Amino acid sequence: MSQESQKALPDALSRGASLKQLSLLNLWRSYCRHHVSSARDSLNRLLRQPLSSLMTCLVVAIALALPQVLSVAVSNIDQLGQSWQGRPSLSVYLHHNVKQPVAEKLLIELEQQESVAEGIYISPSEALQEFEAHSGFADVLGQLERNPLPPLLQLSLVEQLSLEQVQSLQANLQARPEVEQVDVDLQWLQRLQQILALGRTLIWLLSGLLALGVLLIVGNTIRLAIAARKDEILVTKTLGGTNAFVRRPFLYTGLWYGLLGGALALLLTELCLFALAGPVAKLAGSYGSDFLLMGISWFDAGFLLLASSVLGWLGAALAVGRHLAAIEPK
Amino acid sequence: MIQFLNVSKRYPGGFDALSNLSLNIDAGEMVFLTGHSGAGKSTLLKLIMLMERATRGQMVVGGQNLNKMPRRQIPFLRRQIGVVFQNHQLLFDRTVFDNVALPLMIAGFEPRDIGRRVRAALDKVGLLSKEKLNPVALSGGEQQRVGIARAVVNKPPLLLADEPTGNLDPELSAEIMKLLQQFNDVGVTVLIASHDLTLIERMGKRKLTLEGGQLVADVPGLGGEAA
Ligand SMILES: Nc1ncnc2c1ncn2[C@@H]1O[C@H](COP(=O)(O)OP(=O)(O)OP(=O)(O)O)[C@@H](O)[C@H]1O
Ligand SMILES: [Mg+2]
């Protein structure tokens, strides 16, 4: 301690004096330095206890990977549905009393329509023969007095039709006097899409719950870290550390948990996809499809990392807000 | 440097630790604060650092009115006050050097400044050779000296010490007091709470005596420097 101390004047304590000592630029630089050192130190702390850090990161990762895997699965099933839509077709059942010439005339008329690729007429007797051949009910059917089957127009539609277009065509046909009933053999696709929509909603709900879980996990871990470093916090506050200064390392710890957890989640998701790729290719092959499992896009991966970092930071901020204020030097 | 006018402190339990206390300590003074256990010595020091708020009265420290000081300014007040505790409050997860560097890191000093100042402070307390050790490896007296180095590394104009020799034998106590005296010699205002009446007498400085939260005696130092 030398000459400088002799300048101790009554007003030497004023904030102005300390601001003069550290110019604004210096303040900014020391602020940035503390960000860097907090980030580095908190990462070092995590690495110094690799096992317990890994545990926390894994829990975060599993919570994040679960909705990720499910949403990849849904996207793939959707894709599969789209590609199997292929050629939708309509079965147009006519009234019993519609005679063959009338039916054939209707068929020709329908075939003029843009959305109809081709069609065939199946008479009640043809239908019965086919039914007898395929159903194994030949004996029973043979005993019937009257053919119960209606005349049928089987229409193949062009490929690019949307579900809505198919449905409006169905409604048009249904309105005709000759037509008894129109079945779309796309109903399974319709149902699939309803199920997928439901699935997506569930994934969002699940993601929300799991995100909350991540907040709590990180928050709890930070709470323990704060408790473990209570002495250091007390001393730092006694020596003039601001709340922001004390908070910073913990916020970075949360950020690291989030980021590392997110990266692990990506790894887990990729592992799941890798494990599934073989069986899926085999299955697709058996349906004569060259379907390939879609992975995670770069955009999705980036989004996951961003979201997980934000979650980690937030979880830490919640814990720090609740527990740090309570630690004041006494 | 420190002015108290009719200051009272009542703890939440309803206990009056200080009542109607007025005192004035000038810049550059070295003052001892004594009194029985529970007299309110620590409370007085805590009020100066705003670790506790006064219930009544006016307090001015270093020209700043503490009554009106908002919470967010408290850290900046504390950076201008060095404190030495009885139990030194060192951190055992880092070296002696890092302990002493802490106030400078908090205040945002440049890394190369930090090295220079920490070594100067450690040199002053005679522990430069132990900068790389963990404080656990030091004796009680050495730990207390590290605490003093940390308190002065920032060159604060005011140094507070609460029972700085509480755990030490007479010889080490005298050594610590000599060290504090050296800082006072270069202009630092020093306020020391202590039980050790023999040592206080030997130092020949101004002595304030508290009893039941009231100032009952204010004996000027031998040099006649007290107000
Ligand atoms: N946080 C607190 N809450 C309630 N009462 C307190 C608190 N801190 C101190 N006191 C009381 O205030 C009185 C003064 O305490 P203080 O610590 O200032 O005494 P002291 O003079 O430093 O004593 P010692 O020499 O034992 O350190 C004591 O009776 C103590 O019980
Ligand atoms: Mg005390």
PDB file of all heavy atoms in Angstrom, chain A residues 330, chain B residues 11-12 15 17 35-44 46 52 163 195, ligand 1:
ATOM      1  N   LYS A 330     -24.587 -11.462   6.492  1.00  0.00           N
ATOM      2  CA  LYS A 330     -25.156 -10.958   7.758  1.00  0.00           C
ATOM      3  C   LYS A 330     -24.048 -10.813   8.771  1.00  0.00           C
ATOM      4  O   LYS A 330     -23.170 -11.649   8.850  1.00  0.00           O
ATOM      5  CB  LYS A 330     -26.230 -11.935   8.281  1.00  0.00           C
ATOM      6  CG  LYS A 330     -27.568 -11.746   7.583  1.00  0.00           C
ATOM      7  CD  LYS A 330     -28.377 -10.670   8.287  1.00  0.00           C
ATOM      8  CE  LYS A 330     -29.018  -9.680   7.354  1.00  0.00           C
ATOM      9  NZ  LYS A 330     -30.246  -9.978   6.764  1.00  0.00           N
TER      10      LYS A 330
ATOM     11  N   TYR B  11     -33.177  -5.050  15.995  1.00  0.00           N
ATOM     12  CA  TYR B  11     -33.280  -6.268  15.186  1.00  0.00           C
ATOM     13  C   TYR B  11     -34.728  -6.737  15.140  1.00  0.00           C
ATOM     14  O   TYR B  11     -35.516  -6.390  16.029  1.00  0.00           O
ATOM     15  CB  TYR B  11     -32.369  -7.364  15.733  1.00  0.00           C
ATOM     16  CG  TYR B  11     -30.929  -7.184  15.308  1.00  0.00           C
ATOM     17  CD1 TYR B  11     -29.937  -6.837  16.216  1.00  0.00           C
ATOM     18  CD2 TYR B  11     -30.580  -7.335  13.972  1.00  0.00           C
ATOM     19  CE1 TYR B  11     -28.620  -6.659  15.815  1.00  0.00           C
ATOM     20  CE2 TYR B  11     -29.261  -7.167  13.561  1.00  0.00           C
ATOM     21  CZ  TYR B  11     -28.293  -6.821  14.483  1.00  0.00           C
ATOM     22  OH  TYR B  11     -27.016  -6.644  14.068  1.00  0.00           O
ATOM     23  N   PRO B  12     -35.075  -7.492  14.108  1.00  0.00           N
ATOM     24  CA  PRO B  12     -36.465  -7.928  13.941  1.00  0.00           C
ATOM     25  C   PRO B  12     -37.084  -8.507  15.207  1.00  0.00           C
ATOM     26  O   PRO B  12     -38.256  -8.306  15.485  1.00  0.00           O
ATOM     27  CB  PRO B  12     -36.368  -9.005  12.843  1.00  0.00           C
ATOM     28  CG  PRO B  12     -35.183  -8.581  12.036  1.00  0.00           C
ATOM     29  CD  PRO B  12     -34.229  -7.908  12.983  1.00  0.00           C
ATOM     30  N   PHE B  15     -34.964  -6.556  19.625  1.00  0.00           N
ATOM     31  CA  PHE B  15     -33.823  -6.243  20.470  1.00  0.00           C
ATOM     32  C   PHE B  15     -33.107  -5.002  19.955  1.00  0.00           C
ATOM     33  O   PHE B  15     -32.812  -4.902  18.761  1.00  0.00           O
ATOM     34  CB  PHE B  15     -32.863  -7.444  20.488  1.00  0.00           C
ATOM     35  CG  PHE B  15     -31.715  -7.260  21.422  1.00  0.00           C
ATOM     36  CD1 PHE B  15     -31.838  -7.591  22.768  1.00  0.00           C
ATOM     37  CD2 PHE B  15     -30.496  -6.752  20.966  1.00  0.00           C
ATOM     38  CE1 PHE B  15     -30.768  -7.411  23.634  1.00  0.00           C
ATOM     39  CE2 PHE B  15     -29.439  -6.580  21.838  1.00  0.00           C
ATOM     40  CZ  PHE B  15     -29.572  -6.906  23.173  1.00  0.00           C
ATOM     41  N   ALA B  17     -29.959  -3.292  19.492  1.00  0.00           N
ATOM     42  CA  ALA B  17     -28.522  -3.561  19.519  1.00  0.00           C
ATOM     43  C   ALA B  17     -27.740  -2.260  19.650  1.00  0.00           C
ATOM     44  O   ALA B  17     -26.675  -2.228  20.259  1.00  0.00           O
ATOM     45  CB  ALA B  17     -28.103  -4.311  18.263  1.00  0.00           C
ATOM     46  N   GLY B  35     -15.982  -3.195  24.085  1.00  0.00           N
ATOM     47  CA  GLY B  35     -17.221  -3.356  24.844  1.00  0.00           C
ATOM     48  C   GLY B  35     -17.501  -4.832  25.060  1.00  0.00           C
ATOM     49  O   GLY B  35     -16.916  -5.686  24.378  1.00  0.00           O
ATOM     50  N   HIS B  36     -18.406  -5.105  26.005  1.00  0.00           N
ATOM     51  CA  HIS B  36     -18.697  -6.507  26.343  1.00  0.00           C
ATOM     52  C   HIS B  36     -19.326  -7.235  25.148  1.00  0.00           C
ATOM     53  O   HIS B  36     -19.758  -6.602  24.182  1.00  0.00           O
ATOM     54  CB  HIS B  36     -19.642  -6.567  27.552  1.00  0.00           C
ATOM     55  CG  HIS B  36     -20.969  -5.916  27.280  1.00  0.00           C
ATOM     56  ND1 HIS B  36     -22.032  -6.590  26.744  1.00  0.00           N
ATOM     57  CD2 HIS B  36     -21.377  -4.634  27.452  1.00  0.00           C
ATOM     58  CE1 HIS B  36     -23.049  -5.773  26.604  1.00  0.00           C
ATOM     59  NE2 HIS B  36     -22.677  -4.563  27.038  1.00  0.00           N
ATOM     60  N   SER B  37     -19.358  -8.531  25.287  1.00  0.00           N
ATOM     61  CA  SER B  37     -19.988  -9.312  24.220  1.00  0.00           C
ATOM     62  C   SER B  37     -21.469  -8.935  24.129  1.00  0.00           C
ATOM     63  O   SER B  37     -22.145  -8.859  25.152  1.00  0.00           O
ATOM     64  CB  SER B  37     -19.834 -10.804  24.522  1.00  0.00           C
ATOM     65  OG  SER B  37     -20.439 -11.552  23.509  1.00  0.00           O
ATOM     66  N   GLY B  38     -21.926  -8.688  22.919  1.00  0.00           N
ATOM     67  CA  GLY B  38     -23.318  -8.278  22.739  1.00  0.00           C
ATOM     68  C   GLY B  38     -23.523  -6.781  22.879  1.00  0.00           C
ATOM     69  O   GLY B  38     -24.651  -6.307  22.843  1.00  0.00           O
ATOM     70  N   ALA B  39     -22.439  -6.033  23.016  1.00  0.00           N
ATOM     71  CA  ALA B  39     -22.559  -4.584  23.195  1.00  0.00           C
ATOM     72  C   ALA B  39     -22.998  -3.888  21.908  1.00  0.00           C
ATOM     73  O   ALA B  39     -23.509  -2.769  21.954  1.00  0.00           O
ATOM     74  CB  ALA B  39     -21.230  -4.006  23.670  1.00  0.00           C
ATOM     75  N   GLY B  40     -22.757  -4.528  20.787  1.00  0.00           N
ATOM     76  CA  GLY B  40     -23.195  -3.949  19.512  1.00  0.00           C
ATOM     77  C   GLY B  40     -22.048  -3.575  18.587  1.00  0.00           C
ATOM     78  O   GLY B  40     -22.256  -2.857  17.601  1.00  0.00           O
ATOM     79  N   LYS B  41     -20.851  -4.098  18.861  1.00  0.00           N
ATOM     80  CA  LYS B  41     -19.684  -3.744  18.034  1.00  0.00           C
ATOM     81  C   LYS B  41     -19.873  -4.212  16.592  1.00  0.00           C
ATOM     82  O   LYS B  41     -19.720  -3.435  15.638  1.00  0.00           O
ATOM     83  CB  LYS B  41     -18.412  -4.382  18.617  1.00  0.00           C
ATOM     84  CG  LYS B  41     -18.152  -4.029  20.071  1.00  0.00           C
ATOM     85  CD  LYS B  41     -16.857  -4.624  20.578  1.00  0.00           C
ATOM     86  CE  LYS B  41     -16.899  -6.149  20.687  1.00  0.00           C
ATOM     87  NZ  LYS B  41     -17.806  -6.626  21.750  1.00  0.00           N
ATOM     88  N   SER B  42     -20.188  -5.494  16.446  1.00  0.00           N
ATOM     89  CA  SER B  42     -20.354  -6.036  15.091  1.00  0.00           C
ATOM     90  C   SER B  42     -21.505  -5.336  14.380  1.00  0.00           C
ATOM     91  O   SER B  42     -21.433  -5.063  13.175  1.00  0.00           O
ATOM     92  CB  SER B  42     -20.619  -7.536  15.151  1.00  0.00           C
ATOM     93  OG  SER B  42     -19.543  -8.193  15.774  1.00  0.00           O
ATOM     94  N   THR B  43     -22.553  -5.059  15.129  1.00  0.00           N
ATOM     95  CA  THR B  43     -23.702  -4.381  14.540  1.00  0.00           C
ATOM     96  C   THR B  43     -23.290  -3.036  13.952  1.00  0.00           C
ATOM     97  O   THR B  43     -23.690  -2.687  12.830  1.00  0.00           O
ATOM     98  CB  THR B  43     -24.799  -4.178  15.603  1.00  0.00           C
ATOM     99  OG1 THR B  43     -25.155  -5.446  16.140  1.00  0.00           O
ATOM    100  CG2 THR B  43     -26.025  -3.517  15.005  1.00  0.00           C
ATOM    101  N   LEU B  44     -22.462  -2.311  14.678  1.00  0.00           N
ATOM    102  CA  LEU B  44     -22.011  -1.006  14.195  1.00  0.00           C
ATOM    103  C   LEU B  44     -21.251  -1.148  12.870  1.00  0.00           C
ATOM    104  O   LEU B  44     -21.480  -0.391  11.913  1.00  0.00           O
ATOM    105  CB  LEU B  44     -21.123  -0.368  15.265  1.00  0.00           C
ATOM    106  CG  LEU B  44     -20.870   1.139  15.169  1.00  0.00           C
ATOM    107  CD1 LEU B  44     -20.601   1.713  16.539  1.00  0.00           C
ATOM    108  CD2 LEU B  44     -19.722   1.464  14.234  1.00  0.00           C
ATOM    109  N   LYS B  46     -21.530  -3.578  10.747  1.00  0.00           N
ATOM    110  CA  LYS B  46     -22.461  -4.005   9.691  1.00  0.00           C
ATOM    111  C   LYS B  46     -23.276  -2.835   9.147  1.00  0.00           C
ATOM    112  O   LYS B  46     -23.609  -2.799   7.961  1.00  0.00           O
ATOM    113  CB  LYS B  46     -23.418  -5.069  10.246  1.00  0.00           C
ATOM    114  CG  LYS B  46     -22.762  -6.436  10.376  1.00  0.00           C
ATOM    115  CD  LYS B  46     -23.726  -7.426  11.005  1.00  0.00           C
ATOM    116  CE  LYS B  46     -23.024  -8.729  11.323  1.00  0.00           C
ATOM    117  NZ  LYS B  46     -23.866  -9.577  12.189  1.00  0.00           N
ATOM    118  N   GLU B  52     -26.572  -4.356   7.429  1.00  0.00           N
ATOM    119  CA  GLU B  52     -27.826  -4.103   8.137  1.00  0.00           C
ATOM    120  C   GLU B  52     -28.179  -2.643   7.922  1.00  0.00           C
ATOM    121  O   GLU B  52     -27.298  -1.817   7.692  1.00  0.00           O
ATOM    122  CB  GLU B  52     -27.658  -4.363   9.648  1.00  0.00           C
ATOM    123  CG  GLU B  52     -27.379  -5.800  10.027  1.00  0.00           C
ATOM    124  CD  GLU B  52     -28.609  -6.689   9.914  1.00  0.00           C
ATOM    125  OE1 GLU B  52     -29.721  -6.163   9.705  1.00  0.00           O
ATOM    126  OE2 GLU B  52     -28.453  -7.923  10.048  1.00  0.00           O
ATOM    127  N   GLU B 163     -12.886  -8.214  15.289  1.00  0.00           N
ATOM    128  CA  GLU B 163     -12.109  -9.209  16.051  1.00  0.00           C
ATOM    129  C   GLU B 163     -11.023  -9.836  15.177  1.00  0.00           C
ATOM    130  O   GLU B 163     -10.971 -11.067  15.055  1.00  0.00           O
ATOM    131  CB  GLU B 163     -13.029 -10.325  16.565  1.00  0.00           C
ATOM    132  CG  GLU B 163     -14.324  -9.868  17.176  1.00  0.00           C
ATOM    133  CD  GLU B 163     -14.180  -9.528  18.655  1.00  0.00           C
ATOM    134  OE1 GLU B 163     -13.063  -9.626  19.175  1.00  0.00           O
ATOM    135  OE2 GLU B 163     -15.189  -9.150  19.271  1.00  0.00           O
ATOM    136  N   HIS B 195     -11.938  -7.220  21.674  1.00  0.00           N
ATOM    137  CA  HIS B 195     -12.051  -7.442  23.118  1.00  0.00           C
ATOM    138  C   HIS B 195     -10.730  -7.196  23.828  1.00  0.00           C
ATOM    139  O   HIS B 195     -10.699  -7.071  25.035  1.00  0.00           O
ATOM    140  CB  HIS B 195     -12.355  -8.930  23.382  1.00  0.00           C
ATOM    141  CG  HIS B 195     -13.738  -9.333  23.102  1.00  0.00           C
ATOM    142  ND1 HIS B 195     -14.799  -8.799  23.764  1.00  0.00           N
ATOM    143  CD2 HIS B 195     -14.246 -10.252  22.250  1.00  0.00           C
ATOM    144  CE1 HIS B 195     -15.907  -9.374  23.316  1.00  0.00           C
ATOM    145  NE2 HIS B 195     -15.592 -10.247  22.392  1.00  0.00           N
TER     146      HIS B 195
HETATM  147  N1  LIG C   1     -29.350 -10.739  13.195  1.00  0.00           N
HETATM  148  C1  LIG C   1     -29.689 -10.503  14.488  1.00  0.00           C
HETATM  149  N2  LIG C   1     -30.964 -10.668  14.885  1.00  0.00           N
HETATM  150  C2  LIG C   1     -31.312 -10.413  16.171  1.00  0.00           C
HETATM  151  N3  LIG C   1     -30.464 -10.004  17.114  1.00  0.00           N
HETATM  152  C3  LIG C   1     -29.178  -9.837  16.775  1.00  0.00           C
HETATM  153  C4  LIG C   1     -28.732 -10.078  15.439  1.00  0.00           C
HETATM  154  N4  LIG C   1     -27.404  -9.823  15.391  1.00  0.00           N
HETATM  155  C5  LIG C   1     -27.052  -9.454  16.633  1.00  0.00           C
HETATM  156  N5  LIG C   1     -28.106  -9.443  17.454  1.00  0.00           N
HETATM  157  C6  LIG C   1     -28.097  -9.057  18.863  1.00  0.00           C
HETATM  158  O1  LIG C   1     -27.619  -7.731  18.964  1.00  0.00           O
HETATM  159  C7  LIG C   1     -26.736  -7.621  20.064  1.00  0.00           C
HETATM  160  C8  LIG C   1     -25.430  -7.016  19.599  1.00  0.00           C
HETATM  161  O2  LIG C   1     -24.801  -7.947  18.758  1.00  0.00           O
HETATM  162  P1  LIG C   1     -23.347  -7.705  18.173  1.00  0.00           P
HETATM  163  O3  LIG C   1     -23.026  -8.858  17.313  1.00  0.00           O
HETATM  164  O4  LIG C   1     -23.314  -6.363  17.552  1.00  0.00           O
HETATM  165  O5  LIG C   1     -22.489  -7.727  19.483  1.00  0.00           O
HETATM  166  P2  LIG C   1     -20.912  -7.662  19.618  1.00  0.00           P
HETATM  167  O6  LIG C   1     -20.618  -6.442  20.418  1.00  0.00           O
HETATM  168  O7  LIG C   1     -20.272  -7.777  18.296  1.00  0.00           O
HETATM  169  O8  LIG C   1     -20.631  -8.950  20.469  1.00  0.00           O
HETATM  170  P3  LIG C   1     -19.377  -9.946  20.407  1.00  0.00           P
HETATM  171  O9  LIG C   1     -18.282  -9.292  21.119  1.00  0.00           O
HETATM  172  O10 LIG C   1     -19.856 -11.165  21.096  1.00  0.00           O
HETATM  173  O11 LIG C   1     -19.079 -10.179  18.950  1.00  0.00           O
HETATM  174  C9  LIG C   1     -26.570  -9.006  20.643  1.00  0.00           C
HETATM  175  O12 LIG C   1     -27.325  -9.085  21.843  1.00  0.00           O
HETATM  176  C10 LIG C   1     -27.154  -9.937  19.626  1.00  0.00           C
HETATM  177  O13 LIG C   1     -27.849 -10.962  20.270  1.00  0.00           O
END
